[in-house]
Amino acid sequence: MPNGEVAYFSAEFGLDESLPIYSGGLGILAGDHIKAAADLNIPLTGVGLFYKKGYFQQQINESGWQQQHYPDVDRKASIYPLQPVMDAEERPIIIDVTIAGRQVHATAWCIRLGSVTLYLLSTDVDANSDADRDLTNTLYPSHPDVRISQEIMLGIGGARLLAALGIQPAVWHMNEGHSAFLAFERIRMLSAEGVPFETALEAVKASTVFTTHTPVPAGHDVFSIGMIDHYLGSYYWQLGADRARILSLGELDGVFNMTRLAVSSSSKVNGVSKLHGEVTRELFHRWMPHIPIPDIPVDSVTNGVHVGTWLADGIKKLYDKHLVPDWAFRTQEPQVWAAVRDIPAHELWEEHQQAKSVMVQQLGLALASPDENPLIIGFARRFATYKRALLIFSDLERLARLLSDPERPVCLVFAGKAHPADEPGKELIRKIVELSREERFKGRVHIVENYAMDKAKKLVQGVDVWLNTPVKPMEASGTSGQKAAMNGVINCSVLDGWWVEGYNGRNGWAIDGDTSGDPDQQAQQDSDMLYRLLEEQIIPLYYERGDTAIPTEWVNMMKESICSLTPVYNTHRMVSDYWNQIYVPAMARGRRFAADGLEIASRVGAYKQFIRDNWSAVHVKKVELLDADGGSNGRQKSIFRAEIALGAIWSKDVRVEAVGSDGRSGIWRSKLEPVHQLTAGQFVYEGASPDIPIDVWRANVNVRVTPISPDFANDFELELGAWG
Ligand SMILES: *Cc1c(COP(=O)(O)O)cnc(C)c1O
């Protein structure tokens, strides 16, 4: 396979704590993605930004308030060596991008990991003004002007960098919408060769894929239309379309939405867990009101984590001893992990104790008494309010009783950063600090400063229980619990994100509250369920020692957790899924669209334009139900007959279906065929009722017309539908 087959764009990459250019789960996922691609020898080129000061370093002051520090990232300290990227004359490469009418220059650094190269652009270049030099200083700046400038540099600058290096990716993967401007730049490059806009858009779309990570509208990156005009106004004409057409790719509710742009310019969209796929379909339904939620073309690939990065040394050695010798290359195979069941309980327990004491020591946790070995519960992630770090403090008396039982002591360890502009997030930290100082919680509640990959490793390896209490369904996937599981740490989590798929009733604990009520009620229910789990199951199981010094049933649960979760929730499985389900089809599609001078791209572009121009004439005029012969058991057959006006559109270019709810969360569809033409552009369609009970389909049936093409990536690519 030639190099550069997959281009992977992400605003953050978390490879190692020594290169702090990530803020949280998105960056860790990107780092783990490219490490797994390298392990699997997949040719992938990563594109991101080199943030001179990275994400901030956190200090918590005396009053519990988060302080942000921005030291320069020490490039030399990175365990992944950074090389300057050179041009053909062996000078540092310079990429020029016009931002708000100014020429901004960028250089690039590169990191090599086997088959993968990661390029990181930086505007810290002598030729730039001081303000422009600072554009790539920090990750996720609050100021929208800096943010859009970074996104222009990432998307447009990134595409230019690949072109300058002669890299021609077969598929372009946008990891979240921050990089979606890359679609504009690819269209511009084609336009410069004389390719018309609609053809260029189709060619770009065919070879672009998009992973969305945000389950709520408020989480999507948006800019005002005025800002887009200001920043890219001088660029529109180079794309070969008018301003309105260009803006239409991202315009939504009066602003320019980067997720919308990413969807408009991709042929495949995926969420990061099955549940998140569903939530995303519901979310996108607002933009595509003609398409029922189950038909919205969004798939899912559930996140995983990179085993080699997150495993404790001692546990790794234990696996070396008891699993097949090449287990680290066969992490996707359940039978490889089944051998964990045969590891003697005391060996697994002792390795876990080892990881636990390393954590206690290195994180400097001052336990209430030096010779006790409490059950330790970890909660570490970004302090975003939806993650509800304070849920376990809902009933302070009940919690205090639970933590300070002298026979069965329990400790809580928290860590995490709040985004500098997130005052409610910082307030969560302050509150935990305050609580940790109360007499009843002294030595029982701990908070660790400056959460980053190094601290994360210690925590996911060393605590006994990994707690996660988000507001369902706001955790798109979550990955820290996956890191914990492979280390024998047991998850206790709201059934959200990946845990809905991973939880099997035996491999951890689930908080499964009703999510239909109001947020306070949900919190009340979830916290009550959490306390009950702790009181009735978790603490008793941990302290159930029988006549050995080991909690045998607890260790069995650790084993069940490792065996059932690790083969699935790792990035080898995840990247294989991306390769098979997303990259390979998009590569084939991209090549097909580009072949013979972009013939198919040109045809599809023209076809879509024709359909859009003529769609207003499409109507479902009359729907009748005729009795048919046969049928039994309440499945009596009927015939749908519909009169459809198509105007100038050909009957072969639409699909006509009777569509209804199946009475659960799915839908049924029955195809109708044209049986005769009434007049020009007017047809009669007929089809049989579905093979489900008559009272189900009769209750809810409509006839829909959708434009189709064998060249579409999915049945709803035009996002159009006429109903009657
Ligand atoms: C894994 C990780 C995250 C993501 O954790 P979630 O549980 O998905 O929120 C965030 N930050 C760091 C440092 C991590 O290692």
Side-chain angles (χ1 to χ4, degrees):
M1 281 179 292
N3 195 14
E5 288 273 333
V6 180
Y8 181 87
F9 281 65
S10 179
E12 45 174 319
F13 284 91
L15 287 171
D16 187 75
E17 58 268 16
S18 60
L19 190 60
I21 57 168
Y22 61 91
S23 89
L26 182 73
I28 304 290
L29 180 81
D32 280 7
H33 189 112
I34 65 174
K35 288 176 195 171
D39 293 346
L40 298 171
N41 211 19
I42 285 179
L44 183 143
T45 303
V47 179
L49 296 177
F50 179 76
Y51 302 98
K52 186 179 177 186
K53 295 172 183 293
Y55 201 51
F56 69 92
Q57 305 287 313
Q58 179 198 53
Q59 266 181 0
I60 299 174
N61 71 12
E62 258 311 293
S63 47
W65 203 244
Q66 168 177 293
Q67 309 290 303
Q68 296 95 220
H69 298 283
Y70 294 91
D72 282 2
V73 170
D74 180 0
R75 279 197 314 271
K76 302 233 161 47
S78 168
I79 67 160
Y80 292 92
L82 287 144
Q83 309 284 342
V85 179
M86 301 297 184
D87 64 14
E89 275 90 50
E90 286 302 310
R91 288 175 314 216
I93 200 163
I94 297 281
I95 301 301
D96 295 331
V97 177
T98 305
I99 299 180
R102 309 186 308 277
Q103 280 269 333
V104 178
H105 315 287
T107 47
W109 298 94
C110 96
I111 294 174
R112 291 187 196 283
L113 296 80
S115 62
V116 172
T117 307
L118 172 60
Y119 293 98
L120 301 168
L121 285 159
S122 163
T123 63
D124 186 19
V125 178
D126 289 341
N128 282 335
S129 69
D130 286 350
D132 287 343
R133 286 188 79 142
D134 290 345
L135 284 178
T136 51
N137 265 5
T138 64
L139 182 54
Y140 301 140
S142 303
H143 204 296
D145 288 297
V146 183
R147 206 156 163 136
I148 194 171
S149 302
Q150 287 190 350
E151 295 188 12
I152 290 171
M153 188 48 79
L154 175 63
I156 296 177
R160 284 191 186 168
L161 173 69
L162 296 186
L165 295 170
I167 297 171
Q168 296 184 308
V171 52
W172 299 63
H173 186 175
M174 304 189 282
N175 185 46
E176 195 48 294
H178 308 111
S179 58
F181 288 135
L182 74 82
F184 282 176
E185 177 60 9
R186 293 181 61 208
I187 291 171
R188 187 201 62 78
M189 288 192 231
L190 287 166
S191 178
E193 294 170 18
V195 177
F197 176 83
E198 299 298 339
T199 303
L201 173 61
E202 292 309 320
V204 167
K205 195 171 159 86
S207 54
T208 305
V209 300
F210 169 49
T211 301
T212 175
H213 293 261
T214 318
V216 285
H220 292 158
D221 226 2
V222 298
F223 300 108
S224 71
I225 300 293
M227 274 183 83
I228 301 290
D229 281 342
H230 178 66
Y231 279 89
L232 294 172
S234 63
Y235 180 77
Y236 293 155
W237 68 272
Q238 300 178 55
L239 273 62
D242 60 22
R243 167 180 177 274
R245 178 70 182 115
I246 291 165
L247 290 175
S248 74
L249 298 178
E251 216 168 347
L252 189 71
D253 301 334
V255 290
F256 194 89
N257 182 310
M258 295 301 282
T259 302
R260 188 70 185 99
L261 173 62
V263 172
S264 302
S265 51
S266 304
S267 57
K268 237 180 195 334
V269 179
N270 74 284
V272 290
S273 68
K274 290 195 179 97
L275 178 62
H276 179 237
E278 285 171 33
V279 170
T280 304
R281 283 190 284 275
E282 277 172 41
L283 202 72
F284 289 6
H285 179 62
R286 297 187 318 126
W287 318 346
M288 310 173 189
H290 305 298
I291 310 177
I293 291 168
D295 279 341
I296 302 274
V298 173
D299 297 327
S300 65
V301 175
T302 303
N303 284 347
V305 292
H306 186 249
V307 176
T309 299
W310 298 104
L311 217 45
D313 288 341
I315 299 284
K316 208 178 279 180
K317 288 204 188 95
L318 197 65
Y319 294 162
D320 283 338
K321 182 172 161 196
H322 293 281
L323 306 192
V324 291
D326 55 349
W327 65 271
F329 299 94
R330 297 169 56 189
T331 60
Q332 309 183 48
E333 298 175 34
Q335 65 275 23
V336 165
W337 294 97
V340 166
R341 294 191 201 280
D342 300 325
I343 297 177
H346 70 272
E347 287 191 39
L348 181 56
W349 182 248
E350 274 155 27
E351 282 309 342
H352 173 62
Q353 294 310 306
Q354 183 59 29
K356 189 170 175 178
S357 69
V358 167
M359 173 196 70
V360 169
Q361 215 170 46
Q362 296 199 354
L363 301 185
L365 303 182
L367 299 179
S369 141
D371 42 41
E372 72 175 23
N373 179 10
L375 167 68
I376 301 186
I377 299 173
F379 183 105
R381 48 185 55 83
R382 289 179 302 113
F383 275 105
T385 45
Y386 80 86
K387 293 185 183 255
R388 294 193 304 193
L390 294 180
L391 191 87
I392 197 169
F393 294 103
S394 304
D395 181 340
L396 293 176
E397 258 172 53
R398 193 167 175 186
L399 180 66
R401 224 178 307 129
L402 216 147
L403 299 188
S404 55
D405 178 342
E407 299 296 306
R408 306 192 302 182
V410 179
C411 268
L412 304 179
V413 185
F414 291 86
K417 294 175 179 176
H419 185 276
D422 180 7
E423 300 295 316
K426 291 190 211 171
E427 174 57 23
L428 297 174
I429 298 173
R430 196 201 59 76
K431 186 75 192 164
I432 293 172
V433 170
E434 183 184 288
L435 287 162
S436 72
R437 289 176 183 160
E438 283 190 19
E439 201 48 49
R440 55 186 167 173
F441 293 126
K442 275 224 172 94
R444 297 277 169 235
V445 175
H446 304 268
I447 186 158
V448 175
E449 262 179 349
N450 206 28
Y451 186 54
M453 286 180 75
D454 51 345
K455 306 275 168 65
K457 284 179 202 167
K458 294 292 166 269
L459 287 162
V460 299
Q461 295 165 0
V463 302
D464 298 298
V465 172
W466 194 254
L467 179 68
N468 191 18
T469 51
V471 178
K472 187 174 179 173
M474 294 187 59
E475 185 85 304
S477 167
T479 54
S480 57
Q482 302 172 346
K483 304 167 193 166
M486 66 176 63
N487 282 293
V489 173
I490 306 179
N491 279 273
C492 173
S493 169
V494 167
L495 270 186
D496 196 10
W498 77 280
W499 190 231
V500 187
E501 292 162 54
Y503 175 65
N504 68 5
R506 302 180 305 277
N507 58 4
W509 296 279
I511 300 166
D512 188 15
D514 176 14
T515 55
S516 56
D518 71 19
D520 290 339
Q521 202 180 330
Q522 192 177 338
Q524 171 73 41
Q525 273 184 8
D526 288 352
S527 62
D528 193 54
M529 206 171 284
L530 170 58
Y531 288 131
R532 285 215 320 274
L533 282 173
L534 286 167
E535 290 160 353
E536 294 164 16
Q537 299 189 36
I538 299 174
I539 298 170
L541 193 71
Y542 183 83
Y543 283 105
E544 170 63 65
R545 298 297 157 100
D547 45 9
T548 62
I550 296 172
T552 315
E553 286 310 313
W554 184 278
V555 176
N556 283 341
M557 198 183 238
M558 290 167 68
K559 290 182 176 180
E560 176 65 28
S561 165
I562 297 167
C563 295
S564 63
L565 299 172
T566 311
V568 183
Y569 302 100
N570 68 70
T571 35
H572 291 159
R573 188 277 308 156
M574 179 186 86
V575 171
S576 301
D577 283 353
Y578 273 104
W579 180 259
N580 294 319
Q581 294 164 29
I582 300 209
Y583 295 158
V584 168
M587 280 176 199
R589 190 174 175 77
R591 289 205 183 96
R592 220 161 56 76
F593 273 53
D596 302 323
L598 299 159
E599 191 202 323
I600 295 182
S602 157
R603 187 169 77 213
V604 171
Y607 173 71
K608 284 187 179 174
Q609 201 162 18
F610 173 79
I611 298 281
R612 274 195 301 264
D613 290 348
N614 289 282
W615 192 252
S616 61
V618 175
H619 295 288
V620 178
K621 302 194 73 152
K622 190 157 102 187
V623 181
E624 288 174 292
L625 210 50
L626 314 175
D627 287 335
D629 297 338
S632 59
N633 307 334
R635 287 179 185 240
Q636 188 205 335
K637 280 283 183 193
S638 296
I639 300 283
F640 296 111
R641 173 182 288 173
E643 270 181 46
I644 311 284
L646 294 178
I649 293 172
W650 206 24
S651 64
K652 286 212 166 131
D653 290 337
V654 296
R655 179 187 297 115
V656 178
E657 296 159 296
V659 182
S661 158
D662 69 357
R664 298 183 301 273
S665 56
I667 54 178
W668 59 263
R669 307 171 190 86
S670 279
K671 197 160 180 240
L672 275 56
E673 301 288 351
V675 290
H676 70 264
Q677 187 165 5
L678 293 169
T679 60
Q682 304 254 6
F683 299 83
V684 172
Y685 277 74
E686 284 185 6
S689 60
D691 192 21
I692 58 173
I694 186 165
D695 46 325
V696 174
W697 68 255
R698 276 250 197 200
N700 177 339
V701 51
N702 286 290
V703 170
R704 137 176 108 183
V705 187
T706 28
I708 53 164
S709 159
D711 294 319
F712 285 176
N714 59 67
D715 288 349
F716 303 94
E717 190 165 325
L718 265 169
E719 302 177 11
L720 292 172
W723 291 82

